[in-house]
Amino acid sequence: MHRRHIPAAAAAAALLVPAQALAQPAAAGRLQAIQSAGRIRIGTTGDFNPMSFRDPATRSYRGHQIEAAEQLARDMGVRAEFVATDWRTLISGLQADQYDVVFTGTSMSVARALAASFTIPWGRTGFIPLTTRRNAARFANWDSLNQRGVTLATNLGTTMEQFVQQALPAATLRRVESPARDWQELLGGRVDATMSTVIEAAFLTREYPDLVALFTDQPRNPIPMAFMAPLQDPVFLNFLNAWVTIRLASGFFAELGQKWGVSA
């Protein structure tokens, strides 16, 4: 009886050993491929000033996240190659191997974490509404947004979209698909308010004097911000985590935040 089972067990063990032996090289593949190619592919949206945006004159990418990505590339001894994406396809682009990592100002969420890996956070943000000056008096508090007859815009695929669905269910949600932006709907008078991050709201209210940030002393949904990488690549994620830790300790992210007006 025992003799009949031994060959089967041995065969199963023989099949497992090669799989285990191959697991480590497979996991290390992306990091090795980046070093071999001499470039790291960075997915970025180019529509989130001051995090990632295109210079109108040169059409090149600029911003907090762009400089962070360029620093990562220098530290690795490779060049940064920026790949255009949008909020709706951030994760599918990672899954399709269109880029190696996302640097565009992503905040962490459970839904995203189910489909992509996050590095340790480099900073934090929170959500505040934006409206126009003529509508500002209409909204006295957060509850005044959660009303029938109020239309809020967010970009499709963002954590702001999820927040409005969950926290302000009585309002009408208008999803805006990239490359259009939710605040453009607000400037055009097609919505009553948008949900923005503290980071982007500070830029937009400087750039467009008709826009007003509401409840700046009461931001909601404090949330970590981190870079995104593919799932099932522990070697690459471990490297990225080490890099973020080193650069946080060096003061790099504090200096970068000061330059771009981003509080980390």
Side-chain angles (χ1 to χ4, degrees):
M1 181 175 179
H2 290 294
R3 289 183 179 181
R4 286 200 302 269
H5 287 281
I6 288 172
L15 289 172
L16 286 173
V17 171
Q20 292 168 345
L22 289 172
Q24 182 65 22
R30 183 173 301 272
L31 185 57
Q32 292 174 347
I34 290 168
Q35 294 171 309
S36 297
R39 60 100 172 91
I40 182 168
R41 299 168 300 163
I42 310 291
T44 198
T45 59
D47 66 351
F48 186 5
N49 198 324
M51 307 304 282
S52 167
F53 63 97
R54 285 190 181 272
D55 187 308
T58 65
R59 299 301 296 160
S60 60
Y61 288 106
R62 294 189 61 212
H64 178 285
Q65 298 282 278
I66 303 306
E67 292 194 15
E70 290 170 341
Q71 185 63 57
L72 171 64
R74 283 193 296 271
D75 290 342
M76 295 182 72
V78 300
R79 74 179 187 279
E81 179 181 296
F82 293 100
V83 180
T85 185
D86 60 52
W87 296 98
R88 182 176 57 86
T89 60
L90 278 183
I91 291 175
S92 61
L94 276 175
Q95 294 171 336
D97 194 32
Q98 294 172 1
Y99 33 83
D100 301 305
V101 64
V102 172
F103 277 57
T104 203
T106 48
S107 51
M108 300 176 78
S109 73
V110 173
R112 284 174 174 170
L114 287 169
S117 295
F118 278 105
T119 65
I120 60 172
W122 60 262
R124 298 179 69 83
T125 191
F127 296 159
I128 55 175
L130 283 176
T131 191
T132 55
R133 291 194 178 276
R134 67 178 178 275
N135 278 336
R138 178 181 173 188
F139 302 112
N141 50 45
W142 279 97
D143 287 340
S144 63
L145 288 168
N146 190 31
Q147 304 291 330
R148 291 183 179 180
V150 174
T151 301
L152 295 169
T154 66
N155 266 69
L156 184 65
T158 62
T159 48
M160 286 80 80
E161 176 190 5
Q162 299 166 22
F163 172 76
V164 171
Q165 286 179 299
Q166 295 169 6
L168 305 170
T172 298
L173 173 60
R174 178 174 294 181
R175 297 173 177 85
V176 180
E177 190 162 357
S178 298
R181 286 303 311 274
D182 49 1
W183 51 266
Q184 293 171 330
E185 295 291 292
L186 181 58
L187 286 172
R190 293 180 287 275
V191 298
D192 301 305
T194 67
M195 194 57 57
S196 185
T197 63
V198 173
I199 293 169
E200 189 174 34
F203 164 78
L204 289 172
T205 52
R206 290 193 303 269
E207 189 77 6
Y208 301 100
D210 191 44
L211 296 184
V212 177
L214 301 174
F215 325 137
T216 55
D217 60 338
Q218 305 169 49
R220 293 281 182 92
N221 199 40
I223 193 167
M225 302 188 77
F227 306 116
M228 287 202 308
L231 282 175
Q232 299 177 338
D233 201 331
V235 172
F236 185 48
L237 183 63
N238 182 64
F239 165 75
L240 291 172
N241 283 336
W243 179 79
V244 173
T245 300
I246 292 165
R247 280 300 172 186
L248 281 169
S250 73
F252 169 74
F253 282 105
E255 293 173 6
L256 195 61
Q258 186 174 20
K259 174 179 178 178
W260 289 102
V262 174
S263 175

